[in-house]
Amino acid sequence: MSAKKAGLLVVDVQNDFCPGGALAVPEGHRVVPVLNEYLRRFAAAGLPIYASRDWHPEHTRHFQAHGGPWPPHCVQGTPGAAFHPDLELPPSTVIVTKGSDPEEDAYSAFHGRTPEGEPLAERLRRDGVTHLYIGGLATDYCVRASALDALDMGLAVTVLTDAIRGVEVQPGDSQRAIEEMAARGATFGTLESVPPEVLEADA
Ligand code: VGL
Ligand code: ZN
């Protein structure tokens, strides 16, 4: 196993977080074509790809009806919980499901599990990933929480700034999240700064 290895985490690119969805992130759908390019580059380099999904029960403390902050969204098995139809996840993608516990917000993908029931952190360790590239929705919630947990587990983290969008419950939330991730050690990248050669070197 090489000392360094990159992986791509696509966070919660689901219909309910895109325009027309139950908890639409402004311009959320615009991350899709950019992520598709990252997905092609990681797949071509033979690097592992993970895609988290918010996957709530109908009744959860995460929803306003039960004291939480959010309208119902990403309810298990509904069209709103499906990945955006234009997102081109390769067949090798490891789906990470989170938010199924009615007592938990589970913003971070690290609260999620693979189809085998393995927590994301263990799967990343087993795959030898040392550097996680993160894009998706939403900058100020699940991208932020996932990046901070990845840093806490000692991974290098690059947040893909051209492939994230924020909910912005309060204006400036996304910018504050970016500053917080930077202060904790995250770096930032774009399609231009993460060319295929960089990924090959990280493979
Ligand atoms: C998210 C709010 C509620 C997210 C999930 O994916 O960022 N935000 N649930
Ligand atoms: Zn949620």
Side-chain angles (χ1 to χ4, degrees), residues 81-96:
F83 289 117
H84 189 287
D86 297 335
L87 186 68
E88 294 167 2
L89 295 174
S92 62
T93 304
V94 176
I95 307 297
V96 177

Side-chain angles (χ1 to χ4, degrees), residues 59-181:
H59 301 281
T60 161
R61 284 171 49 177
H62 189 58
F63 293 167
Q64 283 154 357
H66 306 284
W70 305 109
H73 61 274
C74 298
V75 173
Q76 297 167 8
T78 62
F83 289 117
H84 189 287
D86 297 335
L87 186 68
E88 294 167 2
L89 295 174
S92 62
T93 304
V94 176
I95 307 297
V96 177
T97 298
K98 68 184 178 65
S100 308
D101 181 338
E103 303 296 324
E104 256 200 352
D105 288 309
Y107 293 120
S108 169
F110 286 85
H111 289 244
R113 291 174 184 266
T114 69
E116 294 74 38
E118 191 174 26
L120 174 60
E122 279 176 33
R123 178 61 194 248
L124 291 170
R125 266 186 220 109
R126 225 159 44 73
D127 290 345
V129 171
T130 60
H131 185 170
L132 199 59
Y133 290 77
I134 304 178
L137 306 171
T139 310
D140 35 3
Y141 287 90
C142 293
V143 169
R144 171 189 172 277
S146 301
L148 295 179
D149 279 350
L151 291 162
D152 278 344
M153 77 170 271
L155 298 174
V157 171
T158 297
V159 177
L160 302 168
T161 53
D162 50 0
I164 55 174
R165 291 290 188 285
V167 184
E168 297 278 315
V169 172
Q170 303 293 334
D173 280 353
S174 294
Q175 189 53 38
R176 279 187 285 276
I178 283 172
E179 284 162 15
E180 196 179 354
M181 293 186 279

